[in-house]
Amino acid sequence: MTALQLHSRLDAIWRNERGWRGVLTCVNHTDLGLRFMVAAIVYFAIGGVLAMLIRAQLASPRSAFIGPDLFNQVFTMHGSLMMFMFAIPFFEGLAMYMLPKLLGSRDLAFPRLSAFGWWCYLFGGFILLAAMAAGVAPDGGWFMYTPLASKPYTPGINADVWLLGITFVEISAVCAAVELTVSILKLRAPGMSLKRMPILAWYFLVTALMMVVGFPPLILASTLLEIERAFGWPFFDPARGGHPLLWQHLFWLFGHPEVYIIFLPAAGVVSTVLPVMARHPLIGYGWVVGSILVLGFFSFGLWVHHMFATGIPHLALAFFSAASALVAVPTVVQLFAWLATMWAGRPQLRLPMLYIGAFFFIFLLGGLTGVMLAIVPFNWQVHDTAFVTAHLHYVLIGGFIFPMLAGLYYWLPRLTGRVSHGLIGRLGFWLIFVGFNVTFLVMHLTGLLGMRRRIYTYDAGLGWDWPNFISSVGSFVMAFGFAVVLIDMVLAALYGRRVVRNPWRAPTLEWAIPIPVPSYNFASQPRVESREPLDRRGRLTAQLAAGEGYLARDRDGLRETTGVDIVSGRLHEIVVLPGNSWLPVLTAAATGSFFLLMLAGLYALAPLALVAVAVLAWHWASAIGTRTDHGLVDAGLGEAAPPHHESVESPGLWGSVFTLVADGTFFTSLLFGYAFLATVAPGWPPPVLVQPSLLAIAAVTVALALALGAEHGALSAIRGGNARAAAARYGVAAAAMLAAVVALIAFGWLGLPAPASHAYGAVVWVLVAYGAFHGCVALLMLLFVRHRLGQGFVSAARTVEPLVARQWLRYGAGVILLILVVTAFPGAGSWRW
């Protein structure tokens, strides 16, 4: 096969369909990544317009530009769009677009999951924008604190729009996190060990892992508050055993790690672009990787940093204050690595380097004010003032937007094959840089003078007049700067000077791909032997285009890419990816209908949407797999590997593991909430405890033991080649799991107190519902594996689906037993048959 024939056949396999059908069924990572980034930029523009409205209102005392109700909606939507609809989704889009190209892969591990996440993000954003257009946008702040967001104080649907819309978007974020984690660990070019991974991949990996663990507490908080608003279960009502600080704990368990979730990808861009601009490899690669890991770990121990003024005990204040100051250490390690790289190299003051220099200046100031806020007495003085607003923007704009603009200008030739006009680009940079500092540097003083944030007006003569006016002028200068950058980007994409494939002479694999990007990325995949695989002569680029790498063939029209051992990077399996499909958009629509029905108050119909999601998920899983054992398949370059269906470390297994990690974090956060209320909330111990039925407990325990034993026997029968016995045992396991779910519901129905009377009853009912839901998930998986066994998709060699079902069965059984313990034992004195 000639190189031209190879490219033609690969394009026929990987390309999208034409027209609207192709738009709706696309699963290609390049297209989806671009969609995420473009949509995020649109949301950024909308959030920027809202910011201009805020600054216009605050430019002068007693301004009548917008009233208090509209102002509350405007500042809430500004913060929500910037945090949830711009920063995280833009990172997701950049990661989706770049990672396979950086790693020498043809796509991400779960293309349809990427598409599902895109549609969830799009539909969730539409809910927020439609509410804003209708005048019922959220108005309780982007943090949605209780009791302000509770039903008595926000009786309309404004808060429900935030809770349901943002939760819908967070589903997209968790999907992206699992997708990116598994892709980085498994879908790399052979030879790319962890020690040879591009530094940007390390940043993306730690960020994705933080999202897996960081987003479930917010999803839990939103779920509990929506249940309270819809059904009156008092999780946050102190009159009935709840506590409003529970919301703050759960929110900031997400909120503080999110700061680093936003910062780390941007720092990764700096660590990628700066060595190219300095013409010297990154110094301290190992130290930088270590600092990323430490920073990701530390970020989860700082959430009380945002709650110093809420009456936290002194010992906790001391601990979290010290931790908040110490987190600067791993950040400084990266800073010194960047400075050392510039010192050792010969930096070129190109446009990307200008943005990196601005990042150093602005983020350093934001870090210094962060250390100031970590000191408790100072924090008490400036808490909830404009000083905190200024600090937040110095960290997020300086730590995210400036590096991302550096990355956009750096990868613009990769995206468009053209470069921007230098004069227009530099004009945009200076307008943004000057406008930003004029806006927010002065705002520190406004806060020190005592101006509270989130107020829509103020009286003259307080000393706030001129700082607010200066900040407003600076904000409009900054807005003009962003407009100039957008114009520059559009002009560059349409009329910019064409450049060669790798104009920066960068050493990473994304520059080995032709422009425009083929649907399959690489005609053949490389063997990586160093951290900088590209040489200046472009020999590897030519070899890959000529088919002198891995998988330089068309095997039965399959979408294939290499899967590797996580640590060593050795070729481990050939991953067969699914093609274009309607299932992601249909599943996202069904999921969205659940949230819309909840928003409309049609609670009785909402479960029907979940049934539709389950049916579509069944079809989704049924559409993949093979009925044939292939054994070792030639991969090229003298190596062979099995298809991933026959691998013991399939991407699907790892995807299930990280999904369970996110699920377990949700459950752990729920147990934390239970313990917090029992320890801190008024009205505990509750007037009525659980009165557990020993018969129901025994029935649940026996049924779970039977399900686990039958499943173990079924998998043993599969490995022994006895499909009939395996099918029978899966049937027994499914029946036992059904019995366990029924017995668990009976346990709750017979012994749990009313959920609306006290927070204790509400929490234990949520625990039981969580256990029953996971019992149902395990039941469906057991039935699915039995179905697939009968169709010939499971064999002694192809055990991925039974192993995934085992993971979820064991997790479900474990959480159900733990739920029985934590709910039944407090009422041990009232046990009955």
Side-chain angles (χ1 to χ4, degrees):
M1 186 188 305
T2 66
L4 186 60
Q5 290 173 326
L6 173 62
H7 285 268
S8 177
R9 292 189 183 184
L10 288 174
D11 182 64
I13 294 169
W14 289 85
R15 69 188 174 205
N16 298 327
E17 298 184 50
R18 297 184 182 277
W20 282 104
R21 184 184 181 91
V23 172
L24 296 174
T25 62
C26 168
V27 298
N28 181 269
H29 78 97
T30 296
D31 295 326
L32 293 174
L34 288 173
R35 290 184 192 180
F36 264 103
M37 287 190 284
V38 170
I41 291 171
V42 170
Y43 284 117
F44 175 74
I46 297 172
V49 170
L50 296 177
M52 294 303 97
L53 296 178
I54 294 171
R55 290 313 320 166
Q57 169 66 18
L58 295 177
S60 60
R62 287 295 172 187
S63 171
F65 182 64
I66 53 178
D69 293 336
L70 181 57
F71 185 85
N72 289 340
Q73 293 188 30
V74 167
F75 85 74
T76 299
M77 285 298 293
H78 166 71
S80 299
L81 291 178
M82 291 301 193
M83 298 296 285
F84 299 107
M85 303 304 297
F86 164 64
I88 300 297
F90 189 87
F91 151 68
E92 294 169 14
L94 179 64
M96 284 182 184
Y97 181 89
M98 290 301 306
L99 270 176
K101 301 172 179 63
L102 273 171
L103 300 176
S105 178
R106 285 176 172 163
D107 209 325
L108 297 169
F110 312 113
R112 292 182 180 178
L113 187 63
S114 299
F116 172 73
W118 155 249
W119 293 112
C120 287
Y121 167 60
L122 188 67
F123 296 159
F126 281 165
I127 292 175
L128 293 173
L129 294 183
M132 186 168 65
V136 290
D139 55 1
W142 71 272
F143 36 79
M144 205 56 61
Y145 278 177
T146 57
L148 178 62
S150 299
K151 198 74 170 179
Y153 304 100
T154 307
I157 67 167
N158 305 64
D160 301 297
V161 169
W162 192 96
L163 295 169
L164 295 169
I166 294 299
T167 301
F168 196 10
V169 172
E170 296 314 295
I171 292 174
S172 167
V174 173
C175 290
V178 173
E179 171 84 276
L180 298 176
T181 302
V182 177
S183 298
I184 295 169
L185 293 177
K186 291 295 297 178
L187 266 65
R188 308 196 297 268
M192 186 180 284
S193 64
L194 291 181
K195 294 188 296 184
R196 294 174 180 168
M197 275 207 318
I199 192 65
L200 185 61
W202 273 110
Y203 278 97
F204 284 175
L205 174 61
V206 174
T207 303
L209 288 171
M210 291 173 66
M211 291 170 65
V212 168
V213 179
F215 280 78
L218 176 63
I219 296 174
L220 171 66
S222 301
T223 302
L224 296 182
L225 184 53
E226 182 59 29
I227 291 174
E228 177 177 294
R229 291 177 56 84
F231 306 112
W233 295 17
F235 302 103
F236 308 102
D237 181 4
R240 292 181 288 165
H243 203 297
L245 283 186
L246 174 60
W247 171 270
Q248 289 198 36
H249 278 289
L250 293 175
F251 182 87
W252 289 117
L253 275 169
F254 146 82
H256 198 84
E258 190 196 24
V259 173
Y260 298 94
I261 289 171
I262 291 172
F263 165 69
L264 280 177
V269 171
V270 173
S271 293
T272 300
V273 176
L274 186 144
V276 177
M277 296 293 108
R279 293 174 285 183
H280 192 283
L282 179 67
I283 289 179
Y285 174 93
W287 283 94
V288 172
V289 171
S291 71
I292 302 167
L293 296 171
V294 171
L295 191 61
F297 178 77
F298 271 15
S299 69
F300 286 94
L302 308 176
W303 80 94
V304 179
H305 173 94
H306 299 268
M307 301 172 61
F308 283 168
T310 60
I312 301 297
H314 288 177
L315 181 61
L317 286 176
F319 172 81
F320 285 103
S321 177
S324 299
L326 284 173
V327 77
V329 174
T331 306
V332 170
V333 170
Q334 298 171 65
L335 179 61
F336 278 115
W338 298 328
L339 293 175
T341 303
M342 288 193 294
W343 183 267
R346 292 173 296 161
Q348 300 169 297
L349 203 58
R350 305 282 189 90
L351 193 51
M353 196 65 195
L354 280 178
Y355 280 103
I356 291 175
F359 156 75
F360 286 155
F361 175 78
I362 294 172
F363 189 75
L364 180 62
L365 292 180
L368 290 174
T369 55
V371 174
M372 293 167 66
L373 288 168
I375 309 305
V376 175
F378 182 81
N379 185 290
W380 284 345
Q381 295 302 313
V382 299
H383 181 75
D384 259 351
T385 68
F387 186 95
V388 178
T389 306
H391 159 72
L392 175 71
H393 286 82
Y394 260 83
V395 170
L396 294 183
I397 294 181
F400 183 78
I401 293 180
F402 277 88
M404 285 301 176
L405 286 173
L408 281 177
Y409 276 107
Y410 172 73
W411 281 303
L412 189 63
R414 170 68 276 160
L415 291 165
T416 65
R418 301 172 185 266
V419 292
S420 70
H421 190 285
L423 183 60
I424 299 176
R426 287 173 183 266
L427 174 63
F429 163 77
W430 286 111
L431 286 172
I432 295 172
F433 180 74
V434 173
F436 171 82
N437 284 287
V438 170
T439 301
F440 294 107
L441 192 61
V442 176
M443 195 177 291
H444 288 94
L445 176 61
T446 314
L448 291 174
L449 290 173
M451 181 174 173
R452 314 296 294 175
R453 58 178 177 168
R454 301 189 293 274
I455 59 173
Y456 84 100
T457 191
Y458 53 92
D459 291 323
L462 297 174
W464 304 345
D465 309 34
W466 67 267
N468 272 300
F469 179 76
I470 291 174
S471 290
S472 295
V473 171
S475 69
F476 280 91
V477 172
M478 180 170 56
F480 283 125
F482 281 118
V484 170
V485 168
L486 180 61
I487 292 170
D488 185 39
M489 292 279 185
V490 173
L491 290 177
L494 296 176
Y495 309 110
R497 178 173 56 85
R498 294 187 181 274
V499 293
V500 296
R501 182 179 300 185
N502 186 2
W504 308 112
R505 296 189 176 182
T508 44
L509 286 172
E510 78 271 23
W511 298 103
I513 299 175
I515 301 172
V517 180
S519 54
Y520 47 86
N521 285 346
F522 299 93
S524 61
Q525 294 181 251
R527 174 187 284 157
V528 174
E529 298 176 346
S530 72
R531 201 176 292 152
E532 298 184 344
L534 289 192
D535 57 44
R536 296 199 173 203
R537 298 181 182 178
R539 286 175 295 189
L540 180 61
T541 301
Q543 291 169 359
L544 298 180
E548 299 175 15
Y550 292 96
L551 302 182
R553 49 98 193 284
D554 163 21
R555 185 170 72 91
D556 302 326
L558 297 176
R559 298 188 175 193
E560 294 182 318
T561 191
T562 54
V564 300
D565 177 75
I566 289 176
V567 177
S568 68
R570 176 180 52 84
L571 180 65
H572 198 273
E573 63 261 323
I574 297 172
V575 180
V576 180
L577 300 173
N580 301 319
S581 173
W582 286 94
L583 286 167
V585 64
L586 293 177
T587 308
T591 308
S593 66
F594 169 78
F595 289 102
L596 288 175
L597 289 169
M598 290 292 295
L599 187 60
L602 302 174
Y603 305 126
L605 297 178
L608 297 178
L610 295 181
V611 172
V613 171
V615 171
L616 289 166
W618 183 290
H619 284 287
W620 185 321
S622 298
I624 56 179
T626 177
R627 290 186 172 92
T628 307
D629 293 339
H630 295 278
L632 293 177
V633 175
D634 177 47
L637 299 184
E639 296 189 52
H644 77 274
H645 311 97
E646 302 172 28
S647 171
V648 294
E649 292 188 8
S650 165
L653 283 172
W654 283 106
S656 175
V657 167
F658 289 111
T659 304
L660 283 171
V661 170
D663 199 351
T665 305
F666 182 95
F667 181 60
T668 304
S669 301
L670 180 56
L671 293 179
F672 165 80
Y674 184 21
F676 174 81
L677 291 177
T679 306
V680 176
W684 288 68
V688 179
L689 293 172
V690 171
Q691 298 177 355
S693 166
L694 291 178
L695 183 60
I697 293 174
V700 172
T701 305
V702 171
L704 289 176
L706 180 59
L708 291 169
E711 185 276 334
H712 179 80
L715 188 54
S716 298
I718 289 173
R719 288 169 173 163
N722 191 342
R724 180 173 297 180
R729 291 169 186 172
Y730 274 119
V732 173
M737 200 66 212
L738 177 61
V741 172
V742 172
L744 180 64
I745 295 173
F747 164 81
W749 194 265
L750 295 173
L752 268 59
S757 60
H758 193 276
Y760 170 73
V763 171
V764 293
W765 265 110
V766 169
L767 284 167
V768 169
Y770 180 89
F773 174 79
H774 283 79
C776 291
V777 170
L779 169 62
L780 286 175
M781 286 194 170
L782 292 169
L783 292 174
F784 179 77
V785 173
R786 187 177 187 275
H787 171 71
R788 297 281 280 181
L789 191 62
Q791 290 191 323
F793 285 95
V794 177
S795 70
R798 289 171 278 118
T799 58
V800 173
E801 291 167 345
L803 289 173
V804 170
R806 168 173 283 187
Q807 290 175 353
W808 285 85
L809 172 64
R810 291 182 175 181
Y811 177 80
V815 297
I816 288 173
L817 292 174
L818 184 56
I819 287 166
L820 290 178
V821 171
V822 300
T823 56
F825 273 88
S830 58
W831 284 9
R832 55 194 175 84
W833 286 103

